[in-house]
Amino acid sequence: MTYSVAVAGASGYAGGEVLRLLADHPDFEVTTVTAHANAGQRLIDVHPHLRSLEHLELVDTTPENLGGHDVVFLGLPHGKSGELTEQLDSSTLVVDCGADHRLVDEADWADFYGGEFYGSWPYGLPELIRHDGSRQRDALVGVKRIAVPGCNVTAISLGLAPGLAAHVVEGDDIVAVLAVGPSGAGKALRTDLLASEIMGSASAYGVGGRHRHVPEIIQNLRGASGARISVSFTPVLVPMSRGILATSTARLAPGATASDVRSAWELAYADEPFVHLLPEGRFPRTGDVTGANVALVGLAVDEAAGRVVAVTALDNLVKGTAGAAIQSANIALGLGETTGLPVNGVAP
Amino acid sequence: MTYSVAVAGASGYAGGEVLRLLADHPDFEVTTVTAHANAGQRLIDVHPHLRSLEHLELVDTTPENLGGHDVVFLGLPHGKSGELTEQLDSSTLVVDCGADHRLVDEADWADFYGGEFYGSWPYGLPELIRHDGSRQRDALVGVKRIAVPGCNVTAISLGLAPGLAAHVVEGDDIVAVLAVGPSGAGKALRTDLLASEIMGSASAYGVGGRHRHVPEIIQNLRGASGARISVSFTPVLVPMSRGILATSTARLAPGATASDVRSAWELAYADEPFVHLLPEGRFPRTGDVTGANVALVGLAVDEAAGRVVAVTALDNLVKGTAGAAIQSANIALGLGETTGLPVNGVAP
Amino acid sequence: MTYSVAVAGASGYAGGEVLRLLADHPDFEVTTVTAHANAGQRLIDVHPHLRSLEHLELVDTTPENLGGHDVVFLGLPHGKSGELTEQLDSSTLVVDCGADHRLVDEADWADFYGGEFYGSWPYGLPELIRHDGSRQRDALVGVKRIAVPGCNVTAISLGLAPGLAAHVVEGDDIVAVLAVGPSGAGKALRTDLLASEIMGSASAYGVGGRHRHVPEIIQNLRGASGARISVSFTPVLVPMSRGILATSTARLAPGATASDVRSAWELAYADEPFVHLLPEGRFPRTGDVTGANVALVGLAVDEAAGRVVAVTALDNLVKGTAGAAIQSANIALGLGETTGLPVNGVAP
Amino acid sequence: MTYSVAVAGASGYAGGEVLRLLADHPDFEVTTVTAHANAGQRLIDVHPHLRSLEHLELVDTTPENLGGHDVVFLGLPHGKSGELTEQLDSSTLVVDCGADHRLVDEADWADFYGGEFYGSWPYGLPELIRHDGSRQRDALVGVKRIAVPGCNVTAISLGLAPGLAAHVVEGDDIVAVLAVGPSGAGKALRTDLLASEIMGSASAYGVGGRHRHVPEIIQNLRGASGARISVSFTPVLVPMSRGILATSTARLAPGATASDVRSAWELAYADEPFVHLLPEGRFPRTGDVTGANVALVGLAVDEAAGRVVAVTALDNLVKGTAGAAIQSANIALGLGETTGLPVNGVAP
């Protein structure tokens, strides 16, 4: 069967990327696209790259317009999905690319986001390993609500979870620094996101533990390790539209050897279709996963520093958002997990 | 008086930047520029941006051509300056932008570079603070040989030395991740440095403690702290010609408060003309120091993670190389330390 | 049936892009990839973005290795395909992405390339309109040899041919200036293609009619107009990996109205799946066709200047090379022309 | 003496660049900086790259705040300077970087800008050659009002005026296509100027003769040729913060030889300190004039096409705006024309 799909927030970068992937998915048909300020426009005028969807027109983001579909993807600012979703039928699969339902702990929500808390949903990072050895994908089968992870969170979680679950690294002093492109900030009209400001420059933001992705990172890594997690997280904005390169480091566990470390990651990702450990001595480039639903992980043990360094590359809009959304929806609906998802990047 | 100057390796990026700064320096006159493959060409054909030096022609890099000047700046590949310098008069001020004379410990040289070791020279990072409270500039007065620091090393050293010297952070588990532009790699003809490969992509290299700057970082930070240093260092290549944004973190020392931390950095840089601590909550962009001999430091204390995060922005070719060379030469010759050095960046 | 395919020059950008597209084509199976210096390496090590082809290994570019396939795509430097192809079976479909067989006139070959001339092949620009109203696609049905056009040539030809064929513009004083990314120059190790040189800078090359694409542009436009063509062509290298934005202008024909002009282009592209005329007042961005086999054309009549301006955007590696190759192969083999070719770009 | 200076619109890109250059000018002292929305902020918080001016604070753009200075530079949106300037003392030198006083013909103003017309001022392009052989600099001596040219206009005018004045090219069918960086559009918060939209993409705008710089281009070139001018002008936005690369072509005049052509440009620029003709076969890069008050011109004669191609590179914010403003002010005040203006670019 073909599932009918609505995409809310279709004029943004996340919504646009969901549409790009859905356009090539054999089991989904996009019938409704909604927006706020852009309602009334043709989709092709907002996203001139989505040629195959030029028949679609943006309508208002209302429960009425979103109702009556098999699947609804939400690409809305945080705080906007809770109330809206309550008005959608419980039999509809709702996949939220925003932050509203990622956090389990209401106190974390209050600390980092604020406003009404609508509760957590099954978390859309299928490859996430847990300390009991299970994967997050098991928790997605048959569900009707999915919270898509934050893009930075995915990069760090995929980078370090295998070692934490295997107890070859310690979780109590993790440091992660990410090079990220500005599309992660969406189309917000801010001076600091203008091309003239970004090109030729790198800058850090959310420094010192105040970035909203911190509690979500901790939540995932605690699930992997089964123990307390501490993380120093710094995102660095760099001049490329897409991509995240996460350098995540954790202390080598006492007694763990370099071989133990590599084995932990190899075992974790040996059968994963979308997450690949690179051979020893090789490290990934974000340019190699542009447009692909793939995360690449490079791994090194720094014996002198007593740290393991995992470098993860992914496309923030694909494996970091839209691809994860569709991969999780595939699982929820019982489709093949890889259906309709690209594994080859567009390079150079 | 005006000092006559020769620049060896003038066709490279470091040499070109030394020339750009010297062109505006009131006390230096460049009379000789040397190169290897480009000898015989006009300088303006190799560096079309150096319009005011169009009268110069590149000659071979030989002791004869370099001899007879008051000052010689070397922008040569590592391993090339030792033998050459032995043939220059001891009364000539020689400023080496390469790595040959940075390391004090011959074992470090053997481990990370190899080849004959020609001994360390006074180290050209004037603002570097030592655990006895002195600054490195004191060691540069009147010297005839100067080793210019590695660009990444400068970024991390300026970022963390104040806290180590004041014992408000610990040195035994430092993590530093740097976003760096490709000009740091010079004009080497390598596929991975082609524009098509770099634009739109970020990638890590030298991961796991194998980068040649590691022993030099440790040497500086040990000098600041007076104790053992461990550092996990990862450079990330990003698509901007120039610039280093270093995110350097160290564990907060037991008992140290956020206020202690900020005071340590404030005190260290209050009177520095070229290193500035940004106000609380502000973090630097490399774009703001393009072309300037300035390092900007942003500082945050992440109480939850127990870490201090120092973000340093500098231009790898200026404060990271050519500006440091001239600043140090100014000191050595008894000129005003700031003479001829730009403090305003070219932005956007 | 599935056609077995060999790709020669598979380690370059053109070869890599042919492989990226073939990987998603339902009727082709790549069984052999060949290279020169990279022979012996795994394809994934040279093209880390081609995850689905990681089973392939590069072998030498020899007639033996290329023989025995249904289809051979060549991504070789000019001058390399003539002799090689003579040793391939005449029943094999050979698609040459290089320049060797594009020019009809041997004198043009001698003037702009030199070396032995191996004769012209059917020209792989299906949408090219001729002055008799026919399209180039008709000349591709059933052929066994295809010459893929030069990427700049395609951009200008698609931009102006409709107006020339309809005689609403004149061909005797065409001016075309193109913004192009460096991937068009391939992986050549040249200083001027280094990332540090390209980023933040625009530059012209091949100025004054000496670019090798000139005779091919004239050949196509003469075919469209049936009359003499003169063209001033200037490519400008700009800092983006992919893409061509061609601004092509021709004098408005006496008596032709703005409405005549728009009608000519509308008529030409109304039914084309891969070439689209944008609505009045809209102009294309190369970013909207990244990765897609699409050319977008924006059109304006400048009454005051007496010129028609056609702005064409395409991805030099897709519609400019690899996509054109596969589209033409589809026609030659009797497959659906659009089979396996993406129409949506990867943006932002 | 030192002239006291106020800069209005100091928070924008043009204003910021005027300040960057003034900071190094020996005869000017900036005492007042004004802004609209940013009034009340410290200048360093808006322009973190202007370290040497960190003592300045932005105040409101009012006649009171701007009054009482020897020189006032205006970096305001068009339509804002006319009324404001009427309230400034006639003995104050006012240099307007905006468009309000560039056009001589009120009808052109009405057609392309609209709103009240406040009349033309002496035009700040000193090197502009006129058909009587004089230069525009003669018209600037001692004046109290200066209209700084549009950046695109400067690039085309410097590119073609020598040939028009010498009658070696014809002016009635000029075509100019420019690659331009987004800083020319200022800090306007528009979706199409976001970094994610610009990076990796080229696009044309103002196509078909509707760009506001058209009448100003014609005005300048008519002054050079003494005859009717027709120009087809297309700006192309490319991913670099700064820079204009203008490809300007004009028909070769009957009887003019390639040698006549080169002589015309050589003669025109032989003694110019800021405009340089490159040797035959060389063409400029914008990266070589970043930050410098220099325009580089490369010249080719395309005999086959019957056209002369002049390629001009300049920094839109320096020679295209702020440098031209200060160069013209130097002349007006009787200072050395080159005082305080950089000739070396910041490259790579």
Side-chain angles (χ1 to χ4, degrees):
Chain A
M1 72 171 281
T2 297
Y3 295 92
S4 70
V5 176
V7 176
S11 59
Y13 291 143
E17 194 68 357
V18 167
L19 288 168
R20 185 179 73 86
L21 297 176
L22 289 175
D24 288 334
H25 196 295
D27 300 315
F28 292 127
E29 187 189 358
V30 180
T31 51
T32 301
V33 287
T34 81
H36 182 61
N38 292 297
Q41 292 193 53
R42 297 194 310 155
L43 183 68
I44 190 79
D45 289 339
V46 175
H47 290 306
H49 63 296
L50 297 179
R51 184 59 47 181
S52 78
L53 302 175
E54 66 177 323
H55 57 284
L56 294 173
E57 188 178 309
L58 291 159
V59 296
D60 275 319
T61 303
T62 62
E64 293 69 36
N65 284 332
L66 296 174
H69 298 83
D70 299 317
V71 188
V72 175
F73 290 91
L74 304 175
L76 303 171
H78 76 82
K80 296 290 182 195
S81 106
E83 197 181 343
L84 187 69
T85 308
E86 291 195 335
Q87 300 176 65
L88 297 178
D89 197 280
S90 63
S91 70
T92 302
L93 172 58
V94 182
V95 185
D96 184 8
C97 295
D100 292 19
H101 308 283
R102 294 170 187 162
L103 296 176
V104 170
D105 185 340
E106 184 164 359
D108 283 343
W109 177 262
D111 274 7
F112 284 83
Y113 293 90
E116 190 164 356
F117 181 57
Y118 284 85
S120 75
W121 288 356
Y123 190 74
L125 184 47
E127 301 88 350
L128 184 61
I129 198 165
R130 279 190 298 230
H131 62 96
D132 63 5
S134 69
R135 303 293 167 113
Q136 180 59 21
R137 64 167 50 84
D138 305 334
L140 293 168
V141 179
V143 302
K144 291 298 180 187
R145 296 290 183 271
I146 296 170
V148 178
C151 53
N152 298 309
V153 181
T154 294
I156 299 171
S157 301
L158 293 177
L160 289 181
L164 290 165
H167 304 296
V168 296
V169 297
E170 301 180 330
D172 61 352
D173 193 12
I174 288 166
V175 177
V177 180
L178 280 68
V180 304
S183 63
K187 289 188 180 174
L189 293 177
R190 288 167 20 200
T191 302
D192 62 325
L193 295 178
L194 290 178
S196 298
E197 304 287 317
I198 297 278
M199 292 190 290
S201 190
S203 59
Y205 65 99
V207 186
R210 294 316 304 160
H211 194 286
R212 282 171 165 153
H213 284 171
V214 169
E216 189 184 344
I217 296 166
I218 292 175
Q219 178 175 295
N220 287 356
L221 298 184
R222 193 171 49 214
S225 77
R228 195 183 82 84
I229 293 293
S230 164
V231 61
S232 164
F233 164 60
T234 309
V236 174
L237 194 58
V238 302
M240 57 190 192
S241 291
R242 293 176 174 231
I244 293 176
L245 193 89
T247 302
S248 309
T249 83
R251 295 205 59 80
L252 189 61
T257 66
S259 157
D260 296 337
V261 167
R262 183 153 284 271
S263 295
W265 268 262
E266 272 173 359
L267 214 65
Y269 295 137
D271 299 325
E272 287 296 346
F274 296 126
V275 185
H276 302 284
L277 179 66
L278 298 186
E280 186 130 25
R282 286 189 172 261
F283 295 89
R285 306 186 297 184
T286 63
D288 290 324
V289 293
T290 300
N293 191 48
V294 168
L296 299 176
V297 182
L299 194 66
V301 179
D302 185 337
E303 307 268 8
R307 283 192 167 264
V308 172
V309 185
V311 180
T312 312
L314 54 77
D315 183 328
N316 58 306
L317 293 178
V318 190
K319 187 58 186 158
T321 304
I326 292 169
Q327 183 183 351
S328 297
N330 283 343
I331 297 170
L333 295 169
L335 303 170
E337 184 174 333
T338 62
T339 308
L341 290 167
V343 296
N344 294 334
V346 178
Chain B
M1 73 171 280
T2 297
Y3 296 92
S4 71
V5 176
V7 177
S11 59
Y13 291 143
E17 194 68 358
V18 168
L19 288 167
R20 185 179 72 84
L21 296 176
L22 288 174
D24 288 334
H25 195 294
D27 301 314
F28 292 127
E29 187 189 359
V30 180
T31 51
T32 300
V33 288
T34 82
H36 182 63
N38 292 297
Q41 291 194 54
R42 298 192 310 153
L43 183 68
I44 191 78
D45 289 339
V46 175
H47 291 304
H49 64 295
L50 297 179
R51 184 59 47 181
S52 77
L53 303 174
E54 66 177 324
H55 56 285
L56 294 172
E57 188 177 308
L58 291 159
V59 297
D60 275 319
T61 302
T62 62
E64 292 70 34
N65 285 331
L66 296 174
H69 297 84
D70 300 315
V71 189
V72 175
F73 291 92
L74 305 175
L76 303 171
H78 75 83
K80 297 289 181 197
S81 106
E83 197 181 344
L84 186 69
T85 307
E86 291 194 336
Q87 301 176 65
L88 298 179
D89 198 279
S90 63
S91 69
T92 301
L93 172 58
V94 182
V95 185
D96 184 8
C97 296
D100 291 19
H101 308 283
R102 295 172 188 161
L103 295 176
V104 171
D105 185 341
E106 183 163 359
D108 283 343
W109 177 262
D111 275 6
F112 283 83
Y113 294 90
E116 190 164 356
F117 181 57
Y118 284 85
S120 75
W121 288 356
Y123 190 73
L125 183 48
E127 301 89 348
L128 184 61
I129 197 164
R130 281 189 298 231
H131 62 97
D132 62 5
S134 68
R135 303 293 167 114
Q136 180 60 20
R137 64 168 50 84
D138 305 334
L140 293 168
V141 178
V143 302
K144 291 298 181 187
R145 295 290 184 270
I146 295 169
V148 179
C151 54
N152 298 310
V153 181
T154 294
I156 298 171
S157 300
L158 292 178
L160 290 180
L164 290 165
H167 304 298
V168 296
V169 297
E170 301 180 329
D172 61 352
D173 193 14
I174 288 167
V175 177
V177 180
L178 280 68
V180 305
S183 63
K187 290 189 178 174
L189 293 177
R190 288 164 25 197
T191 302
D192 62 325
L193 295 178
L194 290 178
S196 300
E197 303 287 317
I198 297 278
M199 292 190 289
S201 191
S203 58
Y205 65 99
V207 186
R210 293 316 304 160
H211 194 284
R212 282 168 165 155
H213 284 171
V214 169
E216 189 184 345
I217 296 166
I218 291 174
Q219 178 174 296
N220 287 356
L221 298 184
R222 194 171 48 215
S225 76
R228 196 184 81 85
I229 294 292
S230 164
V231 61
S232 164
F233 165 59
T234 309
V236 174
L237 195 58
V238 301
M240 57 190 193
S241 290
R242 293 175 174 232
I244 293 177
L245 193 89
T247 302
S248 309
T249 82
R251 295 205 57 80
L252 188 62
T257 67
S259 157
D260 296 339
V261 168
R262 183 152 284 271
S263 294
W265 269 261
E266 272 173 0
L267 214 64
Y269 295 138
D271 299 324
E272 288 295 347
F274 295 127
V275 185
H276 303 284
L277 178 66
L278 298 185
E280 184 131 26
R282 286 191 172 259
F283 295 90
R285 306 185 297 185
T286 64
D288 290 324
V289 293
T290 300
N293 192 48
V294 168
L296 300 177
V297 182
L299 194 66
V301 179
D302 185 336
E303 306 270 7
R307 283 192 166 262
V308 172
V309 185
V311 179
T312 311
L314 54 77
D315 183 327
N316 58 307
L317 293 178
V318 190
K319 187 59 188 159
T321 306
I326 291 169
Q327 183 183 351
S328 297
N330 283 343
I331 297 170
L333 296 168
L335 303 170
E337 184 174 334
T338 62
T339 308
L341 290 167
V343 297
N344 293 333
V346 178
Chain C
M1 74 172 279
T2 296
Y3 296 92
S4 71
V5 176
V7 177
S11 59
Y13 291 144
E17 194 68 359
V18 167
L19 288 168
R20 185 179 73 84
L21 297 177
L22 289 175
D24 289 334
H25 196 294
D27 300 315
F28 292 127
E29 187 188 0
V30 179
T31 51
T32 301
V33 288
T34 82
H36 181 63
N38 291 297
Q41 291 194 53
R42 296 194 311 154
L43 183 68
I44 191 78
D45 289 340
V46 175
H47 290 305
H49 63 295
L50 297 179
R51 184 59 47 181
S52 77
L53 302 175
E54 66 177 324
H55 57 284
L56 294 172
E57 188 177 308
L58 292 158
V59 296
D60 276 318
T61 302
T62 63
E64 294 68 35
N65 284 331
L66 295 174
H69 298 83
D70 300 315
V71 188
V72 175
F73 291 92
L74 304 176
L76 303 171
H78 76 83
K80 296 291 181 194
S81 106
E83 197 181 344
L84 187 69
T85 308
E86 292 195 333
Q87 300 175 66
L88 297 179
D89 197 280
S90 63
S91 70
T92 302
L93 172 58
V94 181
V95 186
D96 184 8
C97 296
D100 292 18
H101 308 284
R102 293 172 188 161
L103 295 176
V104 171
D105 185 340
E106 183 163 359
D108 283 342
W109 176 261
D111 274 5
F112 284 83
Y113 293 91
E116 190 163 358
F117 181 58
Y118 283 85
S120 75
W121 289 355
Y123 190 72
L125 184 48
E127 301 88 349
L128 185 61
I129 198 165
R130 281 189 297 231
H131 62 97
D132 62 5
S134 69
R135 304 292 167 113
Q136 179 60 19
R137 64 167 50 84
D138 305 333
L140 294 167
V141 179
V143 303
K144 290 300 180 185
R145 295 290 184 270
I146 296 170
V148 179
C151 52
N152 298 310
V153 181
T154 294
I156 298 171
S157 300
L158 293 177
L160 290 181
L164 290 165
H167 304 297
V168 296
V169 296
E170 302 180 330
D172 61 352
D173 193 11
I174 288 167
V175 177
V177 180
L178 281 68
V180 304
S183 63
K187 290 188 178 175
L189 293 177
R190 288 165 23 199
T191 302
D192 62 325
L193 296 178
L194 290 178
S196 299
E197 304 286 320
I198 298 278
M199 292 190 289
S201 192
S203 59
Y205 65 100
V207 186
R210 294 316 303 160
H211 193 285
R212 282 169 165 154
H213 284 171
V214 169
E216 189 184 345
I217 296 167
I218 292 175
Q219 178 174 296
N220 287 355
L221 297 184
R222 194 171 46 214
S225 76
R228 196 184 82 85
I229 293 293
S230 164
V231 61
S232 164
F233 165 59
T234 309
V236 174
L237 195 57
V238 300
M240 57 189 193
S241 291
R242 293 175 174 231
I244 292 176
L245 193 89
T247 302
S248 309
T249 82
R251 295 204 58 79
L252 188 62
T257 66
S259 157
D260 296 338
V261 168
R262 183 152 285 271
S263 294
W265 268 261
E266 271 173 1
L267 214 65
Y269 296 138
D271 299 324
E272 287 295 346
F274 295 128
V275 185
H276 302 285
L277 178 67
L278 298 186
E280 185 130 26
R282 286 191 172 260
F283 295 90
R285 307 186 297 184
T286 63
D288 290 323
V289 292
T290 301
N293 191 49
V294 168
L296 299 177
V297 182
L299 193 65
V301 178
D302 185 336
E303 306 270 8
R307 283 193 167 262
V308 171
V309 185
V311 180
T312 312
L314 54 77
D315 182 328
N316 59 307
L317 293 177
V318 190
K319 186 58 186 160
T321 306
I326 292 169
Q327 182 183 350
S328 297
N330 283 342
I331 297 170
L333 295 169
L335 303 170
E337 184 175 333
T338 63
T339 309
L341 290 167
V343 296
N344 294 333
V346 178
Chain D
M1 72 172 282
T2 297
Y3 295 92
S4 70
V5 176
V7 176
S11 59
Y13 291 143
E17 194 69 358
V18 167
L19 289 168
R20 185 178 74 84
L21 297 176
L22 289 175
D24 289 335
H25 195 294
D27 300 316
F28 292 128
E29 187 189 358
V30 180
T31 52
T32 301
V33 287
T34 81
H36 181 63
N38 292 297
Q41 291 194 54
R42 297 193 312 153
L43 183 68
I44 190 79
D45 289 340
V46 175
H47 290 306
H49 63 295
L50 297 178
R51 184 57 49 181
S52 77
L53 302 176
E54 65 177 323
H55 56 283
L56 294 173
E57 189 177 307
L58 291 159
V59 296
D60 275 319
T61 302
T62 62
E64 293 70 34
N65 285 331
L66 295 174
H69 297 84
D70 299 316
V71 189
V72 175
F73 290 92
L74 304 176
L76 303 171
H78 75 83
K80 296 290 182 196
S81 107
E83 198 181 341
L84 187 69
T85 307
E86 292 196 334
Q87 301 176 63
L88 297 179
D89 197 280
S90 63
S91 70
T92 301
L93 173 58
V94 181
V95 185
D96 185 9
C97 296
D100 292 18
H101 308 284
R102 293 172 188 161
L103 296 176
V104 171
D105 185 341
E106 184 164 359
D108 283 344
W109 176 262
D111 274 6
F112 284 83
Y113 293 90
E116 191 164 356
F117 181 57
Y118 283 85
S120 75
W121 289 356
Y123 190 73
L125 184 48
E127 300 89 350
L128 185 61
I129 198 164
R130 281 189 296 233
H131 62 98
D132 62 6
S134 68
R135 302 294 167 114
Q136 180 59 20
R137 63 167 52 83
D138 305 334
L140 292 168
V141 178
V143 303
K144 290 299 178 186
R145 296 290 183 270
I146 295 170
V148 179
C151 52
N152 297 310
V153 181
T154 295
I156 298 171
S157 300
L158 293 176
L160 289 181
L164 290 166
H167 304 298
V168 296
V169 297
E170 301 179 330
D172 61 351
D173 193 12
I174 289 167
V175 177
V177 180
L178 281 67
V180 304
S183 63
K187 290 187 177 175
L189 293 177
R190 287 166 23 198
T191 301
D192 62 325
L193 296 177
L194 290 177
S196 299
E197 304 287 318
I198 298 278
M199 292 190 290
S201 191
S203 58
Y205 65 99
V207 185
R210 293 315 304 159
H211 194 286
R212 282 170 165 154
H213 283 171
V214 169
E216 189 184 344
I217 296 166
I218 292 175
Q219 178 175 297
N220 287 356
L221 297 184
R222 194 171 46 214
S225 76
R228 196 183 81 85
I229 293 293
S230 163
V231 61
S232 163
F233 165 59
T234 309
V236 174
L237 195 59
V238 301
M240 56 189 194
S241 290
R242 292 175 175 233
I244 293 177
L245 193 90
T247 302
S248 309
T249 82
R251 296 204 58 80
L252 188 63
T257 66
S259 158
D260 297 337
V261 168
R262 183 153 284 271
S263 296
W265 267 261
E266 272 173 0
L267 214 64
Y269 295 138
D271 299 323
E272 288 295 345
F274 296 127
V275 185
H276 303 285
L277 179 66
L278 299 185
E280 185 130 24
R282 285 190 173 261
F283 296 90
R285 305 186 298 183
T286 64
D288 289 324
V289 292
T290 300
N293 191 48
V294 168
L296 300 176
V297 182
L299 193 66
V301 178
D302 185 337
E303 307 269 8
R307 283 192 167 262
V308 172
V309 185
V311 180
T312 312
L314 54 78
D315 183 328
N316 58 308
L317 293 177
V318 191
K319 187 58 185 157
T321 306
I326 292 169
Q327 183 182 349
S328 297
N330 283 343
I331 297 170
L333 295 168
L335 303 170
E337 184 174 334
T338 62
T339 309
L341 290 168
V343 297
N344 293 334
V346 178

